[in-house]
Amino acid sequence: MASTPSEPPATKVAKEPFAPPSLAEDAKPPTTTFAHLTADEQAKHERIREWLSADEYKLDDKPLDEAERFWLSEECIQRYVRASKGVEQTAKTRLEATLRWRREYVFGTELMNPESFSVEGETGKQIIFGYDHARRPALYLLPSRQNTDGPPQQIRYSVSCSRARSDS
C-alpha cells in the first residue's frame, strides 16, 4: 500500500539493542583515576578536603548531609582543582555553587524518583542510542520533542538520563 502525503512513511523499529562496537587496539577506554597528582595539587586537594570535612563547615547555614558528603569524593575534588587550574579559592567557590545547585534541584531525594518526572520521557526527547568511539553509550537530545515547560523536572530528567548512560 502506497503512503499518501498526509500519512508519514512507516519506520523500521530496531527490535534488539545494538552491540557495543569493538575497541580498536590503539583506543584506550576513559579512566577516572587521577594517580599523577603533583605535590602542589595533592596539598590543595587535602586542604579542600579538610575544609569540607570540618564539623563547623556549613553551606548556607546548613551542614552537609550524607548524600552531599558522598558526592564530594576524592575524584570529584580533584576534578574541581584541575578545572580551576589549581586556584584553590576558585575550586572552593565552584564546589559550593554546585552544591547549592544540587540542593535547589533536590538531587538524592525522593524527587529524583523516575515516577516524579516520567511525563518528561513520554515523547522520547532524550534517547540512549549507539556508542561513541570510546564505547560509551551515546545520549541524544531531541529538543523538537519538548512537551513540558518547567525546568526543574526537565533538569531532573536530564540528570537521570545521564546517570543511566554512565551506568550502562
Side-chain angles (χ1 to χ4, degrees), residues 42-60:
Q42 186 64 35
K44 290 175 183 176
H45 174 89
E46 288 172 9
R47 284 194 297 271
I48 292 173
R49 166 62 65 202
E50 289 171 7
W51 172 69
L52 290 168
S53 300
D55 290 336
E56 64 272 1
Y57 178 77
K58 293 184 179 181
L59 181 64
D60 301 332

Side-chain angles (χ1 to χ4, degrees), residues 89-165:
Q89 188 55 45
T90 302
K92 288 178 178 181
T93 303
R94 289 178 178 181
L95 278 164
E96 285 188 329
T98 303
L99 286 167
R100 282 187 186 95
W101 181 81
R102 290 175 62 86
R103 280 183 179 178
E104 181 181 349
Y105 290 102
V106 290
F107 294 116
T109 66
E110 66 280 347
L111 288 177
M112 280 303 291
N113 185 344
E115 285 80 35
S116 68
F117 49 79
S118 62
V119 67
E120 296 293 330
E122 290 176 352
T123 59
K125 61 180 143 188
Q126 293 185 25
I127 57 173
I128 299 172
F129 187 77
Y131 299 88
D132 67 7
H133 292 291
R135 299 181 66 192
R136 296 174 296 214
L139 177 64
Y140 290 89
L141 308 178
L142 306 169
S144 64
R145 296 183 179 175
Q146 184 65 294
N147 62 335
T148 57
D149 292 329
Q153 268 188 298
Q154 294 169 356
I155 290 171
R156 288 187 196 108
Y157 180 67
S158 293
V159 169
S160 176
C161 286
S162 295
R163 286 180 179 172
R165 178 196 147 296

Side-chain angles (χ1 to χ4, degrees), residues 22-40:
S22 60
L23 190 59
E25 288 182 26
D26 60 340
K28 295 179 181 164
T31 179
T32 58
T33 61
F34 299 93
H36 298 68
L37 291 177
T38 65
D40 185 46

